[in-house]
PDB file of all heavy atoms in Angstrom:
ATOM      1  N   TYR P   1     110.303 109.788  94.335  1.00  0.00           N
ATOM      2  CA  TYR P   1     111.364 109.296  95.224  1.00  0.00           C
ATOM      3  C   TYR P   1     111.245 107.784  95.341  1.00  0.00           C
ATOM      4  O   TYR P   1     110.138 107.234  95.380  1.00  0.00           O
ATOM      5  CB  TYR P   1     111.232 109.912  96.620  1.00  0.00           C
ATOM      6  CG  TYR P   1     111.437 111.403  96.665  1.00  0.00           C
ATOM      7  CD1 TYR P   1     110.381 112.270  96.379  1.00  0.00           C
ATOM      8  CD2 TYR P   1     112.671 111.961  97.001  1.00  0.00           C
ATOM      9  CE1 TYR P   1     110.551 113.648  96.432  1.00  0.00           C
ATOM     10  CE2 TYR P   1     112.848 113.334  97.061  1.00  0.00           C
ATOM     11  CZ  TYR P   1     111.781 114.174  96.771  1.00  0.00           C
ATOM     12  OH  TYR P   1     111.957 115.538  96.827  1.00  0.00           O
ATOM     13  N   LEU P   2     112.402 107.111  95.423  1.00  0.00           N
ATOM     14  CA  LEU P   2     112.426 105.671  95.679  1.00  0.00           C
ATOM     15  C   LEU P   2     112.916 105.447  97.109  1.00  0.00           C
ATOM     16  O   LEU P   2     114.051 105.792  97.457  1.00  0.00           O
ATOM     17  CB  LEU P   2     113.333 104.946  94.693  1.00  0.00           C
ATOM     18  CG  LEU P   2     112.717 104.502  93.364  1.00  0.00           C
ATOM     19  CD1 LEU P   2     113.702 103.623  92.593  1.00  0.00           C
ATOM     20  CD2 LEU P   2     111.404 103.756  93.551  1.00  0.00           C
ATOM     21  N   LEU P   3     112.045 104.852  97.931  1.00  0.00           N
ATOM     22  CA  LEU P   3     112.328 104.638  99.342  1.00  0.00           C
ATOM     23  C   LEU P   3     112.827 103.218  99.566  1.00  0.00           C
ATOM     24  O   LEU P   3     112.171 102.253  99.181  1.00  0.00           O
ATOM     25  CB  LEU P   3     111.049 104.884 100.153  1.00  0.00           C
ATOM     26  CG  LEU P   3     111.118 104.702 101.674  1.00  0.00           C
ATOM     27  CD1 LEU P   3     112.003 105.776 102.307  1.00  0.00           C
ATOM     28  CD2 LEU P   3     109.710 104.755 102.264  1.00  0.00           C
ATOM     29  N   ASN P   4     113.998 103.090 100.213  1.00  0.00           N
ATOM     30  CA  ASN P   4     114.567 101.785 100.545  1.00  0.00           C
ATOM     31  C   ASN P   4     115.175 101.823 101.946  1.00  0.00           C
ATOM     32  O   ASN P   4     115.802 102.822 102.333  1.00  0.00           O
ATOM     33  CB  ASN P   4     115.667 101.395  99.543  1.00  0.00           C
ATOM     34  CG  ASN P   4     115.112 100.961  98.206  1.00  0.00           C
ATOM     35  OD1 ASN P   4     114.681  99.819  98.039  1.00  0.00           O
ATOM     36  ND2 ASN P   4     115.095 101.894  97.254  1.00  0.00           N
ATOM     37  N   GLY P   5     114.980 100.734 102.687  1.00  0.00           N
ATOM     38  CA  GLY P   5     115.562 100.659 104.023  1.00  0.00           C
ATOM     39  C   GLY P   5     114.641  99.973 105.005  1.00  0.00           C
ATOM     40  O   GLY P   5     113.647  99.341 104.618  1.00  0.00           O
ATOM     41  N   GLU P   6     114.978 100.093 106.290  1.00  0.00           N
ATOM     42  CA  GLU P   6     114.205  99.436 107.340  1.00  0.00           C
ATOM     43  C   GLU P   6     114.063 100.349 108.548  1.00  0.00           C
ATOM     44  O   GLU P   6     114.959 101.149 108.840  1.00  0.00           O
ATOM     45  CB  GLU P   6     114.876  98.122 107.765  1.00  0.00           C
ATOM     46  CG  GLU P   6     114.962  97.097 106.638  1.00  0.00           C
ATOM     47  CD  GLU P   6     115.596  95.783 107.083  1.00  0.00           C
ATOM     48  OE1 GLU P   6     115.941  95.680 108.288  1.00  0.00           O
ATOM     49  OE2 GLU P   6     115.737  94.881 106.253  1.00  0.00           O
ATOM     50  N   LYS P   7     112.960 100.201 109.261  1.00  0.00           N
ATOM     51  CA  LYS P   7     112.732 100.861 110.545  1.00  0.00           C
ATOM     52  C   LYS P   7     112.410  99.784 111.580  1.00  0.00           C
ATOM     53  O   LYS P   7     112.010  98.676 111.241  1.00  0.00           O
ATOM     54  CB  LYS P   7     111.592 101.879 110.443  1.00  0.00           C
ATOM     55  CG  LYS P   7     111.847 103.020 109.453  1.00  0.00           C
ATOM     56  CD  LYS P   7     112.949 103.947 109.921  1.00  0.00           C
ATOM     57  CE  LYS P   7     113.154 105.107 108.946  1.00  0.00           C
ATOM     58  NZ  LYS P   7     114.221 106.034 109.417  1.00  0.00           N
ATOM     59  N   TRP P   8     112.556 100.140 112.864  1.00  0.00           N
ATOM     60  CA  TRP P   8     112.438  99.130 113.918  1.00  0.00           C
ATOM     61  C   TRP P   8     111.724  99.709 115.126  1.00  0.00           C
ATOM     62  O   TRP P   8     111.806 100.902 115.388  1.00  0.00           O
ATOM     63  CB  TRP P   8     113.835  98.643 114.311  1.00  0.00           C
ATOM     64  CG  TRP P   8     113.852  97.410 115.169  1.00  0.00           C
ATOM     65  CD1 TRP P   8     114.308  97.293 116.448  1.00  0.00           C
ATOM     66  CD2 TRP P   8     113.414  96.096 114.784  1.00  0.00           C
ATOM     67  NE1 TRP P   8     114.180  95.998 116.887  1.00  0.00           N
ATOM     68  CE2 TRP P   8     113.627  95.232 115.880  1.00  0.00           C
ATOM     69  CE3 TRP P   8     112.852  95.579 113.612  1.00  0.00           C
ATOM     70  CZ2 TRP P   8     113.307  93.881 115.860  1.00  0.00           C
ATOM     71  CZ3 TRP P   8     112.525  94.234 113.589  1.00  0.00           C
ATOM     72  CH2 TRP P   8     112.762  93.397 114.693  1.00  0.00           C
ATOM     73  N   LEU P   9     110.997  98.841 115.836  1.00  0.00           N
ATOM     74  CA  LEU P   9     110.274  99.242 117.049  1.00  0.00           C
ATOM     75  C   LEU P   9     109.259 100.355 116.747  1.00  0.00           C
ATOM     76  O   LEU P   9     109.178 101.348 117.463  1.00  0.00           O
ATOM     77  CB  LEU P   9     111.250  99.718 118.133  1.00  0.00           C
ATOM     78  CG  LEU P   9     111.787  98.645 119.083  1.00  0.00           C
ATOM     79  CD1 LEU P   9     112.849  99.232 119.998  1.00  0.00           C
ATOM     80  CD2 LEU P   9     110.673  98.023 119.908  1.00  0.00           C
ATOM     81  N   ILE P  10     108.473 100.158 115.715  1.00  0.00           N
ATOM     82  CA  ILE P  10     107.481 101.151 115.296  1.00  0.00           C
ATOM     83  C   ILE P  10     106.111 100.750 115.827  1.00  0.00           C
ATOM     84  O   ILE P  10     105.669  99.607 115.656  1.00  0.00           O
ATOM     85  CB  ILE P  10     107.454 101.287 113.756  1.00  0.00           C
ATOM     86  CG1 ILE P  10     108.873 101.526 113.221  1.00  0.00           C
ATOM     87  CG2 ILE P  10     106.510 102.397 113.345  1.00  0.00           C
ATOM     88  CD1 ILE P  10     109.599 102.707 113.824  1.00  0.00           C
ATOM     89  N   SER P  11     105.424 101.685 116.461  1.00  0.00           N
ATOM     90  CA  SER P  11     104.122 101.408 117.065  1.00  0.00           C
ATOM     91  C   SER P  11     102.991 101.564 116.047  1.00  0.00           C
ATOM     92  O   SER P  11     103.140 102.244 115.030  1.00  0.00           O
ATOM     93  CB  SER P  11     103.865 102.370 118.237  1.00  0.00           C
ATOM     94  OG  SER P  11     104.953 102.436 119.109  1.00  0.00           O
ATOM     95  N   HIS P  12     101.854 100.938 116.354  1.00  0.00           N
ATOM     96  CA  HIS P  12     100.584 101.140 115.646  1.00  0.00           C
ATOM     97  C   HIS P  12     100.630 100.691 114.180  1.00  0.00           C
ATOM     98  O   HIS P  12      99.864 101.162 113.348  1.00  0.00           O
ATOM     99  CB  HIS P  12     100.151 102.617 115.703  1.00  0.00           C
ATOM    100  CG  HIS P  12     100.521 103.296 116.981  1.00  0.00           C
ATOM    101  ND1 HIS P  12     100.044 102.874 118.202  1.00  0.00           N
ATOM    102  CD2 HIS P  12     101.368 104.336 117.242  1.00  0.00           C
ATOM    103  CE1 HIS P  12     100.576 103.642 119.158  1.00  0.00           C
ATOM    104  NE2 HIS P  12     101.375 104.521 118.606  1.00  0.00           N
ATOM    105  N   THR P  13     101.522  99.753 113.871  1.00  0.00           N
ATOM    106  CA  THR P  13     101.662  99.318 112.483  1.00  0.00           C
ATOM    107  C   THR P  13     100.440  98.544 112.003  1.00  0.00           C
ATOM    108  O   THR P  13     100.192  98.460 110.794  1.00  0.00           O
ATOM    109  CB  THR P  13     102.906  98.429 112.323  1.00  0.00           C
ATOM    110  OG1 THR P  13     102.791  97.303 113.202  1.00  0.00           O
ATOM    111  CG2 THR P  13     104.171  99.201 112.671  1.00  0.00           C
ATOM    112  N   ASP P  14      99.683  97.966 112.938  1.00  0.00           N
ATOM    113  CA  ASP P  14      98.556  97.116 112.549  1.00  0.00           C
ATOM    114  C   ASP P  14      97.259  97.892 112.347  1.00  0.00           C
ATOM    115  O   ASP P  14      96.254  97.312 111.934  1.00  0.00           O
ATOM    116  CB  ASP P  14      98.337  96.022 113.597  1.00  0.00           C
ATOM    117  CG  ASP P  14      98.068  96.582 114.990  1.00  0.00           C
ATOM    118  OD1 ASP P  14      98.310  97.786 115.202  1.00  0.00           O
ATOM    119  OD2 ASP P  14      97.622  95.814 115.863  1.00  0.00           O
ATOM    120  N   CYS P  15      97.266  99.192 112.622  1.00  0.00           N
ATOM    121  CA  CYS P  15      96.027  99.968 112.482  1.00  0.00           C
ATOM    122  C   CYS P  15      96.241 101.271 111.720  1.00  0.00           C
ATOM    123  O   CYS P  15      95.377 102.149 111.729  1.00  0.00           O
ATOM    124  CB  CYS P  15      95.431 100.268 113.861  1.00  0.00           C
ATOM    125  SG  CYS P  15      96.431 101.389 114.864  1.00  0.00           S
ATOM    126  N   SER P  16      97.399 101.411 111.071  1.00  0.00           N
ATOM    127  CA  SER P  16      97.730 102.654 110.377  1.00  0.00           C
ATOM    128  C   SER P  16      97.468 102.551 108.876  1.00  0.00           C
ATOM    129  O   SER P  16      97.580 101.483 108.282  1.00  0.00           O
ATOM    130  CB  SER P  16      99.202 103.024 110.605  1.00  0.00           C
ATOM    131  OG  SER P  16      99.438 103.316 111.958  1.00  0.00           O
ATOM    132  N   ASP P  17      97.166 103.696 108.311  1.00  0.00           N
ATOM    133  CA  ASP P  17      96.945 103.795 106.867  1.00  0.00           C
ATOM    134  C   ASP P  17      98.161 104.386 106.156  1.00  0.00           C
ATOM    135  O   ASP P  17      98.384 104.137 104.971  1.00  0.00           O
ATOM    136  CB  ASP P  17      95.719 104.672 106.598  1.00  0.00           C
ATOM    137  CG  ASP P  17      94.505 104.185 107.369  1.00  0.00           C
ATOM    138  OD1 ASP P  17      93.906 103.193 106.961  1.00  0.00           O
ATOM    139  OD2 ASP P  17      94.175 104.797 108.416  1.00  0.00           O
ATOM    140  N   TYR P  18      98.919 105.198 106.893  1.00  0.00           N
ATOM    141  CA  TYR P  18     100.129 105.836 106.370  1.00  0.00           C
ATOM    142  C   TYR P  18     101.191 105.806 107.465  1.00  0.00           C
ATOM    143  O   TYR P  18     100.896 105.549 108.633  1.00  0.00           O
ATOM    144  CB  TYR P  18      99.870 107.302 105.979  1.00  0.00           C
ATOM    145  CG  TYR P  18      98.883 107.508 104.862  1.00  0.00           C
ATOM    146  CD1 TYR P  18      97.511 107.519 105.113  1.00  0.00           C
ATOM    147  CD2 TYR P  18      99.304 107.722 103.545  1.00  0.00           C
ATOM    148  CE1 TYR P  18      96.593 107.713 104.092  1.00  0.00           C
ATOM    149  CE2 TYR P  18      98.398 107.925 102.521  1.00  0.00           C
ATOM    150  CZ  TYR P  18      97.042 107.920 102.798  1.00  0.00           C
ATOM    151  OH  TYR P  18      96.131 108.122 101.783  1.00  0.00           O
ATOM    152  N   THR P  19     102.441 106.111 107.056  1.00  0.00           N
ATOM    153  CA  THR P  19     103.553 106.186 108.002  1.00  0.00           C
ATOM    154  C   THR P  19     104.400 107.416 107.690  1.00  0.00           C
ATOM    155  O   THR P  19     104.767 107.641 106.537  1.00  0.00           O
ATOM    156  CB  THR P  19     104.444 104.933 107.909  1.00  0.00           C
ATOM    157  OG1 THR P  19     103.662 103.768 108.219  1.00  0.00           O
ATOM    158  CG2 THR P  19     105.611 105.013 108.882  1.00  0.00           C
ATOM    159  N   TYR P  20     104.696 108.212 108.730  1.00  0.00           N
ATOM    160  CA  TYR P  20     105.689 109.280 108.587  1.00  0.00           C
ATOM    161  C   TYR P  20     107.070 108.632 108.638  1.00  0.00           C
ATOM    162  O   TYR P  20     107.394 107.921 109.601  1.00  0.00           O
ATOM    163  CB  TYR P  20     105.579 110.295 109.722  1.00  0.00           C
ATOM    164  CG  TYR P  20     104.272 111.038 109.804  1.00  0.00           C
ATOM    165  CD1 TYR P  20     103.447 110.909 110.920  1.00  0.00           C
ATOM    166  CD2 TYR P  20     103.870 111.909 108.787  1.00  0.00           C
ATOM    167  CE1 TYR P  20     102.250 111.614 111.015  1.00  0.00           C
ATOM    168  CE2 TYR P  20     102.677 112.615 108.873  1.00  0.00           C
ATOM    169  CZ  TYR P  20     101.870 112.463 109.993  1.00  0.00           C
ATOM    170  OH  TYR P  20     100.683 113.155 110.094  1.00  0.00           O
ATOM    171  N   VAL P  21     107.893 108.870 107.621  1.00  0.00           N
ATOM    172  CA  VAL P  21     109.215 108.240 107.538  1.00  0.00           C
ATOM    173  C   VAL P  21     110.285 109.320 107.382  1.00  0.00           C
ATOM    174  O   VAL P  21     110.163 110.212 106.536  1.00  0.00           O
ATOM    175  CB  VAL P  21     109.290 107.260 106.346  1.00  0.00           C
ATOM    176  CG1 VAL P  21     110.713 106.698 106.196  1.00  0.00           C
ATOM    177  CG2 VAL P  21     108.294 106.115 106.522  1.00  0.00           C
ATOM    178  N   ILE P  22     111.341 109.221 108.202  1.00  0.00           N
ATOM    179  CA  ILE P  22     112.516 110.078 108.069  1.00  0.00           C
ATOM    180  C   ILE P  22     113.576 109.290 107.306  1.00  0.00           C
ATOM    181  O   ILE P  22     113.922 108.165 107.690  1.00  0.00           O
ATOM    182  CB  ILE P  22     113.074 110.506 109.440  1.00  0.00           C
ATOM    183  CG1 ILE P  22     111.961 111.091 110.319  1.00  0.00           C
ATOM    184  CG2 ILE P  22     114.208 111.507 109.265  1.00  0.00           C
ATOM    185  CD1 ILE P  22     111.316 112.337 109.783  1.00  0.00           C
ATOM    186  N   ALA P  23     114.082 109.869 106.213  1.00  0.00           N
ATOM    187  CA  ALA P  23     115.014 109.142 105.351  1.00  0.00           C
ATOM    188  C   ALA P  23     116.068 110.091 104.771  1.00  0.00           C
ATOM    189  O   ALA P  23     115.883 111.316 104.731  1.00  0.00           O
ATOM    190  CB  ALA P  23     114.252 108.459 104.208  1.00  0.00           C
ATOM    191  N   VAL P  24     117.172 109.496 104.305  1.00  0.00           N
ATOM    192  CA  VAL P  24     118.249 110.255 103.673  1.00  0.00           C
ATOM    193  C   VAL P  24     117.852 110.558 102.230  1.00  0.00           C
ATOM    194  O   VAL P  24     117.555 109.644 101.457  1.00  0.00           O
ATOM    195  CB  VAL P  24     119.569 109.456 103.691  1.00  0.00           C
ATOM    196  CG1 VAL P  24     120.670 110.206 102.933  1.00  0.00           C
ATOM    197  CG2 VAL P  24     119.996 109.168 105.122  1.00  0.00           C
ATOM    198  N   THR P  25     117.873 111.827 101.857  1.00  0.00           N
ATOM    199  CA  THR P  25     117.579 112.213 100.467  1.00  0.00           C
ATOM    200  C   THR P  25     118.823 112.721  99.733  1.00  0.00           C
ATOM    201  O   THR P  25     118.831 112.785  98.504  1.00  0.00           O
ATOM    202  CB  THR P  25     116.486 113.290 100.405  1.00  0.00           C
ATOM    203  OG1 THR P  25     116.760 114.324 101.353  1.00  0.00           O
ATOM    204  CG2 THR P  25     115.119 112.692 100.707  1.00  0.00           C
ATOM    205  N   ASP P  26     119.856 113.098 100.475  1.00  0.00           N
ATOM    206  CA  ASP P  26     121.076 113.588  99.833  1.00  0.00           C
ATOM    207  C   ASP P  26     122.279 113.128 100.656  1.00  0.00           C
ATOM    208  O   ASP P  26     122.642 113.747 101.655  1.00  0.00           O
ATOM    209  CB  ASP P  26     121.055 115.114  99.733  1.00  0.00           C
ATOM    210  CG  ASP P  26     122.176 115.648  98.842  1.00  0.00           C
ATOM    211  OD1 ASP P  26     123.173 114.928  98.646  1.00  0.00           O
ATOM    212  OD2 ASP P  26     122.049 116.793  98.349  1.00  0.00           O
ATOM    213  N   GLU P  27     122.915 112.045 100.221  1.00  0.00           N
ATOM    214  CA  GLU P  27     124.032 111.466 100.974  1.00  0.00           C
ATOM    215  C   GLU P  27     125.288 112.324 100.918  1.00  0.00           C
ATOM    216  O   GLU P  27     126.225 112.110 101.697  1.00  0.00           O
ATOM    217  CB  GLU P  27     124.326 110.069 100.443  1.00  0.00           C
ATOM    218  CG  GLU P  27     123.186 109.080 100.692  1.00  0.00           C
ATOM    219  CD  GLU P  27     123.417 107.723 100.066  1.00  0.00           C
ATOM    220  OE1 GLU P  27     123.639 107.684  98.830  1.00  0.00           O
ATOM    221  OE2 GLU P  27     123.371 106.712 100.790  1.00  0.00           O
ATOM    222  N   SER P  28     125.324 113.308 100.028  1.00  0.00           N
ATOM    223  CA  SER P  28     126.507 114.160  99.910  1.00  0.00           C
ATOM    224  C   SER P  28     126.538 115.254 100.978  1.00  0.00           C
ATOM    225  O   SER P  28     127.585 115.859 101.215  1.00  0.00           O
ATOM    226  CB  SER P  28     126.551 114.814  98.523  1.00  0.00           C
ATOM    227  OG  SER P  28     125.478 115.753  98.363  1.00  0.00           O
ATOM    228  N   LYS P  29     125.410 115.494 101.607  1.00  0.00           N
ATOM    229  CA  LYS P  29     125.348 116.537 102.639  1.00  0.00           C
ATOM    230  C   LYS P  29     125.718 115.969 104.002  1.00  0.00           C
ATOM    231  O   LYS P  29     125.803 114.758 104.191  1.00  0.00           O
ATOM    232  CB  LYS P  29     123.954 117.156 102.670  1.00  0.00           C
ATOM    233  CG  LYS P  29     123.639 117.961 101.411  1.00  0.00           C
ATOM    234  CD  LYS P  29     122.294 118.668 101.520  1.00  0.00           C
ATOM    235  CE  LYS P  29     122.044 119.523 100.281  1.00  0.00           C
ATOM    236  NZ  LYS P  29     120.725 120.207 100.337  1.00  0.00           N
ATOM    237  N   GLU P  30     125.925 116.854 104.957  1.00  0.00           N
ATOM    238  CA  GLU P  30     126.383 116.434 106.275  1.00  0.00           C
ATOM    239  C   GLU P  30     125.235 116.367 107.272  1.00  0.00           C
ATOM    240  O   GLU P  30     124.312 117.173 107.251  1.00  0.00           O
ATOM    241  CB  GLU P  30     127.455 117.402 106.800  1.00  0.00           C
ATOM    242  CG  GLU P  30     128.737 117.402 105.983  1.00  0.00           C
ATOM    243  CD  GLU P  30     129.814 118.263 106.610  1.00  0.00           C
ATOM    244  OE1 GLU P  30     129.549 118.866 107.676  1.00  0.00           O
ATOM    245  OE2 GLU P  30     130.907 118.345 106.037  1.00  0.00           O
ATOM    246  N   LYS P  31     125.312 115.374 108.145  1.00  0.00           N
ATOM    247  CA  LYS P  31     124.451 115.215 109.308  1.00  0.00           C
ATOM    248  C   LYS P  31     122.976 115.443 108.979  1.00  0.00           C
ATOM    249  O   LYS P  31     122.421 114.841 108.088  1.00  0.00           O
ATOM    250  CB  LYS P  31     124.938 116.140 110.425  1.00  0.00           C
ATOM    251  CG  LYS P  31     126.354 115.795 110.911  1.00  0.00           C
ATOM    252  CD  LYS P  31     126.773 116.665 112.075  1.00  0.00           C
ATOM    253  CE  LYS P  31     128.153 116.260 112.568  1.00  0.00           C
ATOM    254  NZ  LYS P  31     128.621 117.095 113.706  1.00  0.00           N
ATOM    255  N   ASP P  32     122.332 116.357 109.716  1.00  0.00           N
ATOM    256  CA  ASP P  32     120.885 116.508 109.617  1.00  0.00           C
ATOM    257  C   ASP P  32     120.421 116.989 108.246  1.00  0.00           C
ATOM    258  O   ASP P  32     119.291 116.710 107.846  1.00  0.00           O
ATOM    259  CB  ASP P  32     120.383 117.496 110.683  1.00  0.00           C
ATOM    260  CG  ASP P  32     120.602 116.977 112.098  1.00  0.00           C
ATOM    261  OD1 ASP P  32     121.018 115.811 112.235  1.00  0.00           O
ATOM    262  OD2 ASP P  32     120.366 117.734 113.047  1.00  0.00           O
ATOM    263  N   ASP P  33     121.273 117.712 107.519  1.00  0.00           N
ATOM    264  CA  ASP P  33     120.877 118.239 106.212  1.00  0.00           C
ATOM    265  C   ASP P  33     120.634 117.135 105.190  1.00  0.00           C
ATOM    266  O   ASP P  33     120.063 117.385 104.128  1.00  0.00           O
ATOM    267  CB  ASP P  33     121.948 119.201 105.671  1.00  0.00           C
ATOM    268  CG  ASP P  33     122.031 120.491 106.479  1.00  0.00           C
ATOM    269  OD1 ASP P  33     121.027 120.826 107.154  1.00  0.00           O
ATOM    270  OD2 ASP P  33     123.088 121.148 106.449  1.00  0.00           O
ATOM    271  N   ARG P  34     121.072 115.918 105.506  1.00  0.00           N
ATOM    272  CA  ARG P  34     120.858 114.794 104.583  1.00  0.00           C
ATOM    273  C   ARG P  34     119.421 114.295 104.612  1.00  0.00           C
ATOM    274  O   ARG P  34     118.989 113.587 103.717  1.00  0.00           O
ATOM    275  CB  ARG P  34     121.753 113.608 104.982  1.00  0.00           C
ATOM    276  CG  ARG P  34     123.229 113.915 105.096  1.00  0.00           C
ATOM    277  CD  ARG P  34     124.017 112.684 105.523  1.00  0.00           C
ATOM    278  NE  ARG P  34     123.398 111.995 106.629  1.00  0.00           N
ATOM    279  CZ  ARG P  34     123.237 110.660 106.703  1.00  0.00           C
ATOM    280  NH1 ARG P  34     123.639 109.899 105.704  1.00  0.00           N
ATOM    281  NH2 ARG P  34     122.668 110.113 107.757  1.00  0.00           N
TER     282      ARG P  34
END
């Protein structure tokens, strides 16, 4: 997968090793299914 975009007001960025990210994987689907 190629991840592109921005997130804002994210906590603990200075001490984290990984980040859980919610992103759109299928723009053809509606609402939450994307």
Side-chain angles (χ1 to χ4, degrees):
Y1 295 84
L2 273 188
L3 179 68
N4 285 279
E6 298 182 1
K7 298 292 182 179
W8 192 244
L9 271 174
I10 308 305
S11 311
H12 326 299
T13 58
D14 58 346
C15 67
S16 295
D17 307 284
Y18 296 83
T19 300
Y20 298 117
V21 175
I22 309 298
V24 176
T25 47
D26 191 338
E27 294 175 304
S28 67
K29 292 185 177 179
E30 295 186 359
K31 297 184 178 179
D32 295 353
D33 291 338
R34 305 179 314 135

